[in-house]
Amino acid sequence: MRTRRKQPDVPAPDSPWSEIVPGLWMGGHQFRNRTGDLEFAVVRDEFDLVQTLLRLPGHGPDPGVEHHVWAIPDGPLDGTQLAGVMRLARAASEALDEGRRVLVRCYHGYNRSGLVVAHALVHRGHSAEQAIRLIRSRRSPWALHNELFVEYLRAGLPTARLLEELAE
């Protein structure tokens, strides 16, 4: 299964992760450091819960940190994959309610993590448009540049899931 499309025109982010709302962070596995060089983002124990949508060996988190892995493509998702995104978003929201620090990550921390974080924000009362704007302002203008994921959010993930399952 291919989990990442090559997009040479999409720049790496300037930080490994960004706080979207208090306690909820969005990030990736690679970023550009202050000198402009690419650097790996390795999670240690900075967060209480790490949700990984693209797993790369050696990127953490440390043992003892709660870690959920749900590898999905940066492209069309089936009903099962969308259900997993909704479960992760719910778990992230519940962790925030408990005062825990949450990181949702994918390759650059733009699309897959943006989908989960946006759905968590919707779960917490934001509109899809508010969630998308907030993510883009806090993470990067490149966040959620996958228009299909934006369409999923605008339709609502439960609706998108139902439509995908009907199409299968």
Side-chain angles (χ1 to χ4, degrees):
M1 171 174 71
R2 238 176 113 186
T3 57
R4 187 173 166 275
R5 296 178 307 193
K6 291 207 179 281
Q7 295 177 320
D9 56 329
V10 177
D14 295 329
S15 63
W17 39 75
S18 306
E19 193 170 27
I20 307 303
V21 296
L24 181 58
W25 297 73
M26 187 170 138
H29 286 79
Q30 192 179 59
F31 68 103
R32 287 209 180 276
N33 62 25
R34 290 185 192 143
T35 62
D37 295 324
L38 285 177
E39 190 173 319
F40 289 119
V42 179
V43 179
R44 301 288 180 217
D45 62 357
E46 301 91 341
F47 302 96
D48 304 304
L49 170 62
V50 176
Q51 296 182 335
T52 299
L53 301 158
L54 169 72
R55 189 171 196 168
L56 297 176
H59 285 76
D62 283 352
V65 173
E66 186 176 352
H67 190 203
H68 303 164
V69 179
W70 185 251
I72 59 171
D74 187 1
L77 303 179
D78 64 25
T80 300
Q81 291 165 329
L82 285 165
V85 167
M86 294 185 320
R87 275 192 308 274
L88 288 176
R90 195 169 35 255
S93 184
E94 289 168 0
L96 288 176
D97 289 342
E98 296 165 3
R100 301 171 74 206
R101 289 173 47 97
V102 179
L103 171 65
V104 182
R105 65 183 180 164
C106 56
Y107 189 76
H108 276 142
Y110 290 157
N111 287 318
R112 289 167 278 197
S113 59
L115 184 62
V116 172
V117 169
H119 190 64
L121 293 172
V122 168
H123 189 260
R124 300 179 73 75
H126 290 76
S127 71
E129 293 305 321
Q130 290 169 330
I132 293 163
R133 277 194 310 274
L134 184 60
I135 287 167
R136 287 177 176 160
S137 72
R138 301 279 166 87
R139 178 63 178 157
S140 166
W142 286 99
L144 289 168
H145 66 271
N146 179 331
E147 282 301 316
L148 180 58
F149 286 5
V150 170
E151 289 175 26
Y152 287 158
L153 290 165
R154 287 180 177 146
L157 263 57
T159 301
R161 177 184 177 204
L162 178 63
L163 292 172
E164 289 299 330
E165 286 178 346
L166 289 172
E168 292 170 14

